[in-house]
Amino acid sequence: MYSIILAASISAVVAVAIYAVVTNLVIKTSIRKRREAAVKEAEAEGEMIKKERILQAKEKFIQLKSEYDRQVNERNQKIAQSEQRAKQIEGNLQNQQRELENKLRENERLKEQMQNQLQILEHKKEEVDQMQREQNARLEQISGMSSEDAKNILIENMKAEAKTEAASYVKTQPNLDLIQLNSFGCGLDAVTTDQVNDILTRSGKIYTLLKIDEVNNLGAARIRVRSLIAAIRVREMRHYHKPIVSSAYSRVYFTKEMKKNYTILCPQMSPIHFDLIEPAVRSCGYNLEVLQNSDRTAIDTGLKYVNNDACYPSLIVVGQIMDALLSGKYDLEHTAVIMSQTGGGCRASNYIGFIRRALERAGMPQIPVISLNANGMETNPGFKITLPLLTKAMQAVVYGDLFMRVLYATRPYEAKAGSANALHEKWKAICIKSLQKHSLSMAEFNRNIRGIIHDFDELPRRDVQKPRVGIVGEILVKFSPLANNHVVELLEAEGAEAVMPDLLDFLLYCFYNSNFKADNLGGKRSTAHLCNMGISLLEYFRRTCRRELERSTHFLPPARIQDLASMAKHYVSLGNQTGEGWFLTGEMLELIHSGTTNIICTQPFGCLPNHIVGKGVIKGLRASHPEANIIAVDYDPGASEVNQLNRIKLMLSTAQKNLPERKKESRIG
């Protein structure tokens, strides 16, 4: 029974468990089905909601888009209207800007004109002030003259100023340009062309030069004129501003303070003379240094800084100075330059201007240039021609003339080679020592003169006769070995004796010219008297020399300037006073009359005075003196040295042929 109950219980429990399991399965299945149905329903509902929301969103989007498009269209319309208004405003602004720019350009043009006028006024004021300063500087010189003489000097100054008046006017006018015409090879134009060039280019103008000669081909001239016009038009298109710069001249003065510590450079002209002039000037407190750069480098340097039409001596002088200054040897802040200036019509009178222009081009405008002149053209507070300085300088010149005369007359005949040069060096040292003394001893000077002539006269000689060849011409080419290609050494090497007239004679010639001016050109007679006193003073310095040479055995005394003038006036007028003038003709006649019939006339290429009073009178001299054997030799940077040598050798050949005849004549005499 218990087992039955137990079995029944277990069965009941099992049944209940099975029921529970089945029921659970059924419930789970039902729940799953309901869940799945609910999920499907939810998904369906969600899909419907999604579609509904999408539709709503699309409707909202379409609505918003329509609203946006409407707003955009309205905004674009407003923008278009604004842009239209902006374009109108911009157009108006551009028109206003163009009008403003036109007004500004007009104002700038008026401003430029006003500035130009102000510059012109300032320029004129500077020029007037400079002219006033220059005239005031000359008052001492002018005050001692008559009113007529003073008037004449002022007129000459005005003429010199008028040479560049055209260029000075053109630079102030915006609608004017200038073309300068000059004659080919005209030396004076070589000076004015540089001046006109500087005046125009410094004020922004274009400088054009046309050289005119006998050739009628104007093709090159047309090309240059067309180029000038084209350049002017380009400048106008670019609105090129032309600053007006004053052409007033302002030089650097050599002050008293500079005398203490400045080195004064002097270009070399005649080694024999300048080796003595240097210590003579140094003894008076000036630190003078004579340049020794006498080589081709100086010529090449001169070609860089000097107009080639300026003549060979100008080129050499400037070349020597610039070569020295560019060498680095000198302190450019404590260096000055000295150069002689005659004031005549020769290109050589413009050495000072050439030097200053070269210094400016080389960036050395601070270097003072001292003009050594006797007519008061330029003065410097730190350099004065005092009586001691004049005395020492004249002694040095007389020493140099004497050395040149006795050395050249002895060296070709010396029995022992080199003895004449050795004697020259001995006496040069003695003379330098004498010139270095602060005292002025004419007794010692005369004693040295007598000793020099005596010793050279007694120097052993060979008993030979050689042709004597005189050397005349332009003063620098005549004396400078660099300029004349060492013509003295050449003559001696070819078996001849060189004869060189004195340097002092050129100074006498300058003084003597005042007599012709007083007689024929309205010059003041008192000026002529003063110059004649100067002649007497110079002759005083060489009176001992003249007397001892007259007593000597082998040497001839110098001629008197009055005798040279008397001989020359039959061939040329004494009014020929440019360069060497009539003096050159007189020197040739004096040489012929003293037995030196062979003559070399040295002349710079294109030197007009030399070609007139030198080469131009040769035919007349030969007609009057058939024995004369004269040649003219041109010297220039581009001259053929071979051609010069051939001409000289041809002249010497004729001289050698005439030598036996001269010997015969001397024996008959």
Side-chain angles (χ1 to χ4, degrees), residues 194-229:
D194 284 343
Q195 294 174 338
V196 174
N197 184 12
D198 291 344
I199 292 172
L200 293 178
T201 55
R202 289 175 181 175
S203 295
K205 291 284 187 175
I206 301 174
Y207 175 68
T208 302
L209 171 66
L210 299 180
K211 290 188 177 183
I212 306 300
D213 57 14
E214 71 276 7
V215 180
N216 294 322
N217 184 8
L218 297 179
R222 291 191 182 98
I223 292 173
R224 301 207 61 188
V225 172
R226 291 169 182 169
S227 299
L228 172 62
I229 295 173

Side-chain angles (χ1 to χ4, degrees), residues 402 442 446-447 449-450 453 539-553 555-558 560:
L402 178 59
M442 289 299 297
N446 292 327
R447 186 167 58 251
I449 292 292
R450 288 191 290 268
I453 296 174
E539 287 290 354
Y540 167 77
F541 279 100
R542 70 174 182 183
R543 65 175 182 176
T544 301
C545 179
R546 180 187 299 279
R547 183 173 60 250
E548 295 300 320
L549 288 172
E550 290 174 347
R551 297 173 180 175
S552 69
T553 304
F555 313 119
L556 295 175
R560 298 185 182 276

